Amino acid sequence: MQELTHWIDGKHVKGTSGRFTDVYNPATGEVQAKVPLATVEEMNDAVARAAEAQVKWGDTNPQRRARVMMKFGALINEHMDELAELVSREHGKTLPDGRGDVQRGLEVVEVCMGGPSLLKGEFTDAGGPGIDLYSMRQPLGVVAGITPFNFPAMIPLWKMAPALTCGNAMILKPSERCPSTALRLAELLQEAGLPDGVLQVVNGDKEAVDAILDNETIAGVGFVGSTPIAQYIYGRAASNGKRAQCFGGAKNHMIIMPDADMDKAADALVGAGFGAAGERCMAISVAVPVGQKTADTLIEKLLPRIEKLKVGPYTAGEDVDYGPVITQQAKQRILGLIDSGVEQGANLVVDGRDFSLQGYENGYFVGPSLFDNVTPDMDIYKEEIFGPVLSQVRTENYEDALKLTMDNPYGNGTAIFTADGDTARDFAHRVNVGMVGINFPIPVPLSYHTFGGWKKSAFGDLNQYGPDAFRFYTKTKTVTARWFSGIKEGGEFNFKAME
Ligand code: NAD
């Protein structure tokens, strides 16, 4: 069996802790690799080496750092299919979705190619008599990225590309469920010219994460994962004096107005609800039709589309719609939540619990499930299911639909489907959610905007990627400078003694 490594000082390094965790093939249930789990000492050693490497990297001019991103971007493109396959092999998502995972990360690398323009700083000419002020953006030093299983390429790239372009060294702690893509990206960064030690990939679990949070050299922590862990990491990092931005879970609502194009709304819901087996923080898990007729029509339109969904392993071809969920434990949790929905009185219109695939009986597949008449007190509404389960909550009018969305503790993404610009505009203006789609189901902003949720979907300030990332990964230093009048007043002909 393959034994994975850490990536330290530009080399693959075996773990020394003696602790490993299994990496599964979710489509078959087989263990395909084991990944080492770092000790506190291994983590601290990696950080100390990164701090040494950072000094020269931080002094390298921004354009040279950006050139590394240019080559890195070219290499990612060249290795797109290989990276997508790595993603799919450990995560289980389809190959087109694996390519999407790499592509949305690559787009952040592309913005970093122009990073110097975001690092320019500010200048005030003549802020007082003979006084100028200028503000510089300087790297934090060593920063850490802690990433989830569901986007093994995209989220590590969202962390490392801006952090490195800003002149920091980074410790990346990828998800122990899907660690291989991050290791491969580190090799490609080295090939692109990143000096050794500037990116260290340290694999591990809670012990490694806690070592990051307590390490005094690490100045900033960027986290993406579930809400309870995001809140924990934010609290511990902040109380140790670190800058932290921690992005958490979601429960994304899509409102369907009576005037919406119902075919387009149903297409959007099927893709956003079941794509990637619902394992996306921007998945739509709650459909909120306005009016009983809209709700009935929506169910009618959804049923044939759900029946047609093709669930299978990524190796079964490009027309597979979604693959298995990540672990046996995740599968059992999802099935348990579907049971609870039935017990608590929701109407299970499509039941995906008994789904089985010939030849893949040990894989973690869950068929698509659709609930109608879900109410906010039910567990299937309250919990982030992170599986292929769509819940319909019926509402009587727009205000009720908006209130439902706003009362939900999560605030990552939301969408409205309508033909009316006035309703769409009102929704975008009033809703307390960070990313809003209008006739657009998964509104992940382009890489030169920023990504971030509100409420329990994010802790800390500043979003991921775009200009916010450049603010997060740099600290501002402001200089107030005064130069006294001197030589420009005219030549001096006396032989002046030094004072
Ligand atoms: P997770 O919280 O279980 O794990 C995320 C990271 O935290 C991993 O690297 C893991 O090793 C580490 N971790 C896990 N338990 C820990 C603990 N007790 N102490 C310290 N560290 C710990 O999340 P996941 O299951 O890998 O990912 C799915 C979650 O991520 C979902 O909730 C999803 O909504 C969320 N997510 C959010 C965004 C966003 O931008 N808001 C994006 C993608 C995923």
Side-chain angles (χ1 to χ4, degrees):
M1 190 203 309
Q2 192 190 5
E3 181 180 321
L4 299 174
T5 60
H6 306 294
W7 175 263
I8 309 288
D9 291 353
K11 287 187 280 297
H12 286 282
V13 172
K14 280 190 166 206
T16 59
S17 67
R19 285 202 309 131
F20 291 89
T21 192
D22 292 332
V23 180
Y24 291 88
N25 175 344
T28 61
E30 284 159 5
V31 177
Q32 52 185 345
K34 56 179 189 169
V35 62
L37 303 173
T39 58
V40 177
E41 292 71 33
E42 284 174 298
M43 180 60 78
N44 287 345
D45 184 55
V47 175
R49 288 159 183 271
E52 278 174 34
Q54 190 275 329
V55 176
K56 202 161 162 215
W57 178 245
D59 275 345
T60 303
N61 81 52
Q63 199 147 13
R64 281 181 192 275
R65 295 199 303 251
R67 275 185 206 137
V68 172
M69 290 298 139
M70 286 181 206
K71 285 199 189 138
F72 186 40
L75 285 167
I76 293 175
N77 263 314
E78 208 178 293
H79 294 271
M80 176 64 80
D81 288 343
E82 176 205 337
L83 288 165
E85 218 256 325
L86 263 186
V87 167
S88 298
R89 204 172 75 195
E90 290 182 349
H91 176 282
K93 62 177 74 174
T94 66
L95 277 177
D97 214 23
R99 281 195 287 275
D101 190 324
V102 180
Q103 176 63 31
R104 291 309 294 256
L106 171 62
E107 287 166 14
V108 170
V109 176
E110 285 168 351
V111 167
C112 291
M113 296 174 190
S117 64
L118 290 162
L119 289 168
K120 281 202 311 272
E122 294 170 340
F123 189 86
T124 297
D125 173 41
I131 298 172
D132 303 323
L133 277 88
Y134 55 97
S135 296
M136 309 176 237
R137 297 206 156 273
Q138 296 193 329
L140 301 183
V142 183
V143 297
I146 302 163
T147 55
F149 80 83
N150 68 327
F151 282 99
M154 180 182 86
I155 295 180
L157 287 167
W158 286 6
K159 299 290 168 211
M160 61 169 89
L164 300 175
T165 306
C166 290
N168 300 287
M170 169 162 267
I171 305 292
L172 179 68
K173 206 300 284 170
S175 167
E176 60 274 44
R177 318 230 171 278
C178 305
S180 295
T181 312
L183 290 166
R184 184 69 186 117
L185 289 171
E187 290 174 347
L188 294 180
L189 258 173
Q190 183 183 50
E191 203 179 325
L194 188 76
D196 292 345
V198 174
L199 174 73
Q200 315 273 50
V201 181
V202 184
N203 282 304
D205 56 3
K206 180 172 168 53
E207 184 173 339
V209 171
D210 287 347
I212 287 173
L213 301 177
D214 295 340
N215 184 292
E216 288 187 0
T217 303
I218 292 179
V221 176
F223 170 87
V224 180
S226 57
T227 287
I229 311 296
Q231 191 158 10
Y232 160 72
I233 289 182
Y234 179 69
R236 190 151 164 180
S239 72
N240 284 335
K242 300 182 196 315
R243 188 175 285 203
Q245 52 171 202
C246 300
F247 300 91
K251 194 83 187 174
N252 303 319
H253 294 50
M254 179 169 131
I255 296 179
I256 302 98
M257 295 298 293
D259 63 352
D261 178 325
M262 295 303 284
D263 285 302
K264 292 215 163 57
D267 285 342
L269 272 174
V270 168
F274 302 109
E279 290 176 325
R280 289 184 184 132
C281 68
M282 290 292 276
I284 295 286
S285 49
V286 188
V288 191
V290 170
Q292 297 302 333
K293 187 163 172 285
T294 316
D296 293 340
T297 313
L298 195 59
I299 295 283
E300 252 170 55
K301 301 266 179 196
L302 283 171
L303 282 176
R305 287 168 168 83
I306 294 175
E307 252 164 46
K308 271 199 224 130
L309 284 175
K310 191 169 166 193
V311 183
Y314 76 91
T315 43
E318 301 261 325
D319 63 336
V320 173
D321 291 305
Y322 75 82
V325 298
I326 187 69
T327 56
Q328 180 64 18
Q329 203 187 6
K331 176 174 171 172
Q332 291 313 323
R333 181 179 166 273
I334 294 163
L335 297 181
L337 277 161
I338 300 175
D339 290 344
S340 81
V342 175
E343 281 153 24
Q344 292 168 18
N347 177 14
L348 185 57
V349 185
V350 181
D351 185 351
R353 287 175 294 184
D354 290 330
F355 181 89
S356 165
L357 202 61
Q358 212 185 355
Y360 293 90
E361 288 79 3
N362 296 325
Y364 315 136
F365 292 96
V366 181
S369 293
L370 175 67
F371 276 109
D372 194 4
N373 295 309
V374 174
T375 52
D377 54 318
M378 295 176 182
D379 290 339
I380 48 168
Y381 179 79
K382 289 190 285 193
E383 296 276 322
E384 180 186 36
I385 300 177
F386 227 52
V389 183
L390 182 63
S391 297
Q392 170 158 284
V393 180
R394 292 174 176 240
T395 53
E396 288 306 326
N397 55 49
Y398 166 69
E399 286 299 330
D400 288 351
L402 176 65
K403 185 170 185 313
L404 181 82
T405 309
M406 292 183 65
D407 286 348
N408 193 278
Y410 294 104
N412 216 37
T414 187
I416 188 166
F417 271 62
T418 180
D420 181 50
D422 175 52
T423 310
R425 191 178 175 282
D426 184 79
F427 180 69
H429 180 70
R430 286 166 65 195
V431 74
N432 56 359
V433 171
M435 292 169 283
V436 181
I438 295 173
N439 297 318
F440 199 91
I442 306 187
V444 176
L446 288 173
S447 53
Y448 42 92
H449 288 257
T450 69
F451 180 108
W454 288 15
K455 299 185 275 182
K456 290 232 177 276
S457 294
F459 302 85
D461 54 355
L462 295 177
N463 281 352
Q464 306 191 79
Y465 64 73
D468 271 14
F470 282 75
R471 290 188 193 106
F472 181 75
Y473 288 116
T474 54
K475 49 190 184 236
T476 307
K477 183 186 284 174
T478 303
V479 179
T480 304
R482 177 163 65 187
W483 295 98
F484 300 107
S485 297
I487 196 147
K488 80 173 192 326
E489 306 300 337
E492 291 199 23
F493 299 98
N494 300 337
F495 191 77
K496 251 190 150 186
M498 296 295 284
E499 284 164 1

